[in-house]
Amino acid sequence: MVGDLGAAIAATAESRRLAHETSQTMMYALMTATAAKLAALRGEIDTALGLAEEAERIGLPAGARPVLATATTARGLAALGAGRFEEAFGHFRRLHDPADPAFQIALRLTAVGDLVDAATHCGRPADVLPVVAELEEVATVTPAPVLHAELRLVRALLAADEDADPLFADALGADLGAWPLIRARTHLAYGEWLRRRRRRVESRDHLRAARDMFDALGAIPWGERARQELRAAGETSRRRAPDARDQLTAHELQIVRLAADGLTNREIGQRLYLSHRTVSSHLHRIFPKLGVTSRAELRTVVGALR
């Protein structure tokens, strides 16, 4: 949620493994659904859908709402990132339907922005107004920062043209230091809104900011969406440079982050239940992938992902 996808990928991989080894079936399913969500944010669609299906096979018979809500979010993000807005709307709408197995009272608060994003792109903004009105009421009794950040974006997305500018400014003027994904999505939404109203020059600053933030966060499909919008606004955009998350498996990324934090091979092995020789072998393969020759260089590469 706070945009550290590298740490999330590594922690999720470790959590899935530990849950499997200790026979915690529902925790394994939840972490599998979380891995699906991360894959969707990275644009790894086939992986995301496969992991979501695996999580649902475990969670659906047990009625495990957190598992099903997370898997449904992953499906929605995969569709949203691919520009399949009608499909994305269907997935995100499930999270807000109390009769649906994927309804979960807390997790749905984190997906209202995605629901409205999908709805506005497929011409169905009126369909989400009851959900937004309900969550506006919820917001009066909870300080949950993610909900308030999402609602500031949602108000701007649903506003009449004459009201949208100040609402986008309000959304971007809020303290979003802990929510870089929401900030990037807000820049993208504002840039899209400006371009569609032929305010192309104004749109470019927001679209550039969105592109650069999504690239840094590793949310690849949204970075590409910002690039497409920039091209439509008359500006050629450079390609995203691959980073460590593109080149390493989740397990390798976990080892890399521990090594960059200063742990020895033996300490990494103890943390991950591996021999120090196995850790050494992994690092021997990882270094050439990243174009580094020392742990000091490794810290620089991993530091860029934080």
Side-chain angles (χ1 to χ4, degrees):
M1 289 304 299
V2 300
D4 191 346
L5 299 192
I9 289 167
T12 300
E14 182 178 14
S15 298
R16 288 184 76 211
R17 180 177 58 79
L18 290 173
H20 178 72
E21 289 176 358
T22 55
S23 300
Q24 297 185 66
T25 305
M26 285 305 136
M27 182 57 71
Y28 174 80
L30 181 58
M31 290 299 99
T32 298
T34 302
K37 183 178 175 181
L38 288 163
L41 285 169
R42 297 283 294 154
E44 298 161 1
I45 305 301
D46 291 343
T47 299
L49 297 180
L51 289 165
E53 184 178 353
E54 181 183 357
E56 288 163 342
R57 280 199 303 268
I58 301 169
L60 192 56
R65 289 185 182 272
V67 172
L68 299 174
T70 305
T72 300
T73 299
R75 290 186 181 277
L77 288 170
L80 193 60
R84 301 194 301 271
F85 298 112
E86 187 75 37
E87 179 188 339
F89 174 81
H91 291 306
F92 288 123
R93 184 66 187 85
R94 292 183 59 200
L95 299 173
H96 301 278
D97 179 1
D100 194 286
F103 176 85
Q104 206 282 333
I105 193 168
L107 293 178
R108 73 189 187 117
L109 305 185
T110 70
V112 62
D114 292 317
L115 170 68
V116 176
D117 185 16
T120 55
H121 278 87
C122 66
R124 301 181 66 172
D127 292 346
V128 300
L129 294 179
V131 172
V132 173
E134 179 189 357
L135 292 180
E136 290 281 13
E137 285 294 317
V138 172
T140 65
V141 294
T142 175
V146 66
L147 174 59
H148 286 271
E150 293 267 331
L151 286 175
R152 281 189 289 268
L153 170 57
V154 163
R155 291 175 197 129
L157 285 169
L158 294 174
D161 279 2
E162 62 270 20
D163 300 323
D165 269 316
L167 288 171
F168 274 117
D170 178 64
L172 289 171
D175 181 5
L176 294 173
W179 310 102
L181 274 169
I182 296 176
R183 184 170 186 81
R185 284 164 49 209
T186 305
H187 276 297
L188 176 60
Y190 196 14
E192 289 177 331
W193 184 86
L194 289 166
R195 188 189 69 76
R196 281 160 176 70
R197 283 145 189 84
R198 295 185 170 83
R199 294 162 62 181
R200 297 168 68 190
V201 174
E202 292 175 78
S203 75
R204 292 171 192 162
D205 285 342
H206 293 286
L207 294 172
R208 282 189 220 107
R211 176 201 63 196
D212 293 344
M213 292 180 73
F214 285 129
D215 283 358
L217 294 167
I220 296 170
W222 283 262
E224 289 308 307
R225 187 165 137 191
R227 282 175 170 76
Q228 291 171 8
E229 288 289 331
L230 269 172
R231 283 193 292 273
E235 179 172 305
T236 302
S237 189
R238 55 177 170 72
R239 284 191 165 194
R240 174 182 177 274
D243 63 30
R245 287 166 297 207
D246 302 323
Q247 302 169 69
L248 304 180
T249 67
H251 189 55
E252 288 174 331
L253 187 57
Q254 190 177 11
I255 291 171
V256 159
R257 293 181 75 93
L258 293 173
D261 285 341
L263 275 68
T264 66
N265 289 357
R266 190 172 298 279
E267 289 169 333
I268 295 171
Q270 290 171 346
R271 181 79 63 89
L272 302 181
Y273 305 100
L274 302 171
S275 74
H276 67 89
R277 292 184 180 85
T278 300
V279 174
S280 178
S281 296
H282 276 296
L283 288 172
H284 184 72
R285 291 192 297 270
I286 289 167
F287 275 33
K289 286 185 182 183
L290 300 181
V292 302
T293 58
S294 70
R295 292 192 180 220
E297 292 177 298
L298 196 63
R299 282 193 289 276
T300 301
V301 171
V302 175
L305 303 181
R306 296 185 189 274

